[in-house]
Amino acid sequence: MPHQYGGMSYSLQHRGGGGGSERRLTREAMERYLRERNDMIIVILHAKVAQKSYGNEKRFFCPPPCIYLHGDGWRLRQEQLNRDGDPEHPSQLCAFIGIGNSDQDMQQLDLNNGKQYCAAKTLYISDSDKRKHFMLAVKLFYSNGQSIGFFNSKRIKVISKPSKKKQSLKNADLCIASGTRVALFNRLRSQTVSTRYLHVENNNFHASSTQWGAFIMYLLDDEESEGDEFSVRDGYVHYGSTVKLVCSDTGMALPRLVIRKVDKQMALLEADDPVSQLHKCAFYMKDTDRMYLCLSQEKIIQCPGTPCPQDQSKEMITDGACWTIISTDKAEYQFYEGMGPVKSPVTPVPIVNNLNLNGGGEVAMLELSGENFSPFLKVWFGEVESETIYQCLESMLCVVPDISSFRGEWLWIRQPTQVPISLVRDDGIIYSTGLTFTYTPDVQPRPLVGPATNHDRLSEETHWSQNAGL
């Protein structure tokens, strides 16, 4: 049955990879994967909003969506293709990106540039496209014709232009909350070629013309002192607030800043409305004498503001101290060909958002909720396959394996035992969930009451834990 996925249709066919049951993942292959972790990871980094183009203009998405490839799996797969293919015509990774609309031409990306990323610099959405939201669709395949699949970004909101009005929290999806990721860029005289993005490279903040960073913007108490540790406030960021910008990749942070609204190259000292998408803003370096976060070509520096003679509530700032702010998002997909290359696309990649333990005693069930589930997936606890029940695209159930499956000599749970949770497709594709399950110890050894006790039983106290990383 065909389904819509990323603007393209796909069919939920049997994904046996051409080998049938012999392609199913073995315990030995899973043990090897868990040791080596040679995943293939694709990350789509993009803004949460996109400004619409009108007439013949092409208002390219800024910052440009970026595709990153992480993990040793990509290199190992390429080496295998080179071994198996024609040495005179080596197979290469090919990538295209579009705005998730099948009648829009997709644009080619260069992922063979020697870097681990590429940027889609010429994407735009025209006024003839009436959607209020869309998703980017990335198509990956090898030049020998082998498809990897379609990968979607997160949802992007279409806006006509930045709001000039005093923003209301009623438009919460346009406001910027504490703890969310933002990108900051500077553009001189509205020239696209002059755009510079705040970025961290080699442990230094700099203004990059090619790469942009996603920075977590934290709201601080005004009395918070400078230091590596700080208390964070909830809520939406307003002008005049004290904030901390922390690079989401490196963890590097700028000193405390006060975010100020900018109008006609003036920093407004008394503005207190919520910060909104694509607003122009300035960052006063707290406890300095009118110093602002500024760029000078590719360097990040401090430069002074000047009091406005006509209006004491404003300070004049240089072009380099005026930043445009926009919220960003990230879609991440992780997979590994556990039994070697497969013939079917690896997409749609299943995503697990939550785990919930049901029951205990003799039979404990784990409920998984997420997206893109299928009947061709099994849940694995570490290197052990679990009996799995597919319910729908968003829900699966599985039986929690006995502790003796991992610790053959154990008749009861002696110490906390944590195992990673993976989903495995029936052609050997492993999808790491980034989540773990923890067997908690029994209070005391269980009494032997017959043959049934040859297998350890899960106690009522068994719990699960959900971790961001393994």
Side-chain angles (χ1 to χ4, degrees):
M1 177 181 177
H3 296 262
Q4 280 301 116
Y5 185 76
M8 308 290 174
S9 63
Y10 69 93
S11 296
L12 272 180
Q13 300 164 339
H14 181 73
R15 302 180 182 277
S21 59
E22 71 270 20
R23 302 291 299 173
R24 296 184 74 86
L25 190 73
T26 63
R27 181 164 181 155
E28 293 73 26
M30 178 58 98
E31 287 172 344
R32 184 170 61 250
Y33 163 74
L34 292 173
R35 275 196 314 273
E36 298 173 356
R37 289 288 185 181
N38 292 324
D39 285 290
M40 300 166 80
I41 303 168
I42 175 171
V43 174
I44 307 170
L45 203 61
H46 59 91
K48 279 190 175 181
V49 299
Q51 195 172 350
K52 187 176 284 192
S53 302
Y54 288 93
N56 294 323
E57 73 173 346
K58 293 181 179 178
R59 195 177 289 273
F60 299 137
F61 299 160
C62 191
C66 282
I67 314 303
Y68 288 79
L69 299 182
H70 299 305
D72 278 341
W74 296 104
R75 176 183 58 81
L76 297 173
R77 184 76 159 88
Q78 189 65 56
E79 289 173 359
Q80 182 168 17
L81 283 169
N82 294 343
R83 286 194 302 270
D84 298 344
D86 180 353
E88 293 186 10
H89 302 92
S91 189
Q92 287 202 308
L93 183 64
C94 302
F96 285 79
I97 190 169
I99 60 171
N101 195 351
S102 53
D103 59 4
Q104 164 100 8
D105 288 337
M106 299 188 90
Q107 300 176 9
Q108 188 162 10
L109 297 168
D110 181 14
L111 283 171
N112 300 295
N113 55 13
K115 305 172 186 175
Q116 62 169 185
Y117 79 97
C118 64
K121 295 182 177 178
T122 55
L123 283 177
Y124 66 96
I125 186 166
S126 70
D127 58 341
S128 61
D129 192 324
K130 301 306 180 186
R131 289 177 295 172
K132 294 183 178 179
H133 297 88
F134 68 91
M135 289 186 286
L136 301 168
V138 177
K139 179 183 181 181
L140 287 180
F141 60 95
Y142 289 103
S143 54
N144 66 1
Q146 172 64 52
S147 173
I148 302 171
F150 280 90
F151 301 85
N152 275 357
S153 72
K154 295 292 180 65
R155 198 169 75 147
I156 298 171
K157 181 181 175 68
V158 180
I159 62 174
S160 58
K161 57 185 178 180
S163 173
K164 294 284 189 186
K165 299 176 184 175
K166 188 168 182 176
Q167 195 56 256
S168 164
L169 289 177
K170 290 178 183 176
N171 295 324
D173 54 347
L174 291 178
C175 298
I176 294 171
S178 177
T180 57
R181 287 171 168 77
V182 299
L184 294 164
F185 60 92
N186 177 284
R187 181 176 286 164
L188 299 177
R189 295 176 295 281
S190 299
Q191 295 177 336
T192 303
V193 293
S194 74
T195 307
R196 296 287 184 274
Y197 306 96
L198 187 65
H199 185 244
V200 172
E201 191 168 54
N202 299 325
N203 291 326
N204 280 311
F205 285 87
H206 73 126
S208 171
S209 59
T210 56
Q211 264 188 294
W212 54 275
F215 295 88
I216 307 171
M217 178 173 275
Y218 291 111
L219 194 55
L220 307 185
D221 282 321
D222 291 338
E223 296 77 29
E224 185 79 29
S225 57
E226 187 60 63
D228 291 337
E229 295 184 0
F230 49 88
S231 300
V232 176
R233 286 173 50 204
D234 289 332
Y236 289 97
V237 178
H238 289 64
Y239 291 110
S241 301
T242 302
V243 297
K244 196 87 168 173
L245 285 172
V246 181
C247 175
S248 61
D249 270 348
T250 65
M252 287 188 64
L254 287 164
R256 292 166 306 147
L257 304 165
V258 175
I259 186 167
R260 288 177 173 165
K261 194 171 190 174
V262 169
D263 183 37
K264 298 182 178 66
Q265 282 201 257
M266 297 279 188
L268 311 185
L269 307 186
E270 295 177 3
D272 61 359
D273 44 315
V275 180
S276 184
Q277 304 295 341
L278 292 173
H279 269 191
K280 288 187 167 49
C281 55
F283 293 93
Y284 159 63
M285 316 284 291
K286 198 158 187 180
D287 297 336
T288 65
D289 186 16
R290 297 194 178 92
M291 288 294 184
Y292 285 83
L293 183 73
C294 186
L295 62 80
S296 174
Q297 295 181 324
E298 298 217 337
K299 290 184 177 178
I300 297 296
I301 61 172
Q302 301 179 34
C303 57
T306 308
C308 178
Q310 296 85 16
D311 190 341
Q312 292 302 304
S313 69
K314 297 178 180 179
E315 285 179 351
M316 294 180 285
I317 56 173
T318 64
D319 284 341
C322 178
W323 299 88
T324 302
I325 188 168
I326 191 168
S327 293
T328 68
D329 215 336
K330 177 175 80 168
E332 184 169 330
Y333 301 96
Q334 188 167 332
F335 54 93
Y336 177 73
E337 295 170 313
M339 299 300 290
V342 299
K343 293 183 179 179
S344 302
V346 304
T347 54
V349 173
I351 306 293
V352 179
N353 297 324
N354 200 21
L355 303 174
N356 189 38
L357 185 67
N358 296 324
E362 295 196 358
V363 178
M365 302 287 288
L366 191 66
E367 182 179 5
L368 292 77
S369 57
E371 51 197 274
N372 297 332
F373 294 162
S374 86
F376 311 115
L377 294 168
K378 298 288 186 188
V379 181
W380 284 58
F381 289 66
E383 68 275 16
V384 177
E385 181 179 337
S386 168
E387 187 178 332
T388 304
I389 303 161
Y390 169 77
Q391 293 188 300
C392 64
L393 283 170
E394 292 84 28
S395 178
M396 295 170 68
L397 283 173
C398 66
V399 177
V400 178
D402 200 274
I403 190 67
S404 60
S405 303
F406 308 94
R407 304 286 186 266
E409 74 283 5
W410 286 14
L411 296 180
W412 52 282
I413 304 172
R414 306 173 186 183
Q415 62 193 45
T417 303
Q418 189 178 78
V419 294
I421 298 293
S422 307
L423 297 181
V424 178
R425 207 169 69 184
D426 61 5
D427 57 356
I429 296 280
I430 302 169
Y431 303 102
S432 172
T433 68
L435 305 177
T436 59
F437 182 91
T438 301
Y439 291 83
T440 58
D442 294 310
V443 178
Q444 59 187 16
R446 300 182 192 124
L448 295 174
V449 289
T453 55
N454 289 337
H455 296 290
D456 180 35
R457 304 296 190 196
L458 278 169
S459 69
E460 296 290 348
E461 292 81 29
T462 301
H463 299 292
W464 62 271
S465 69
Q466 186 171 319
N467 296 339
L470 297 175

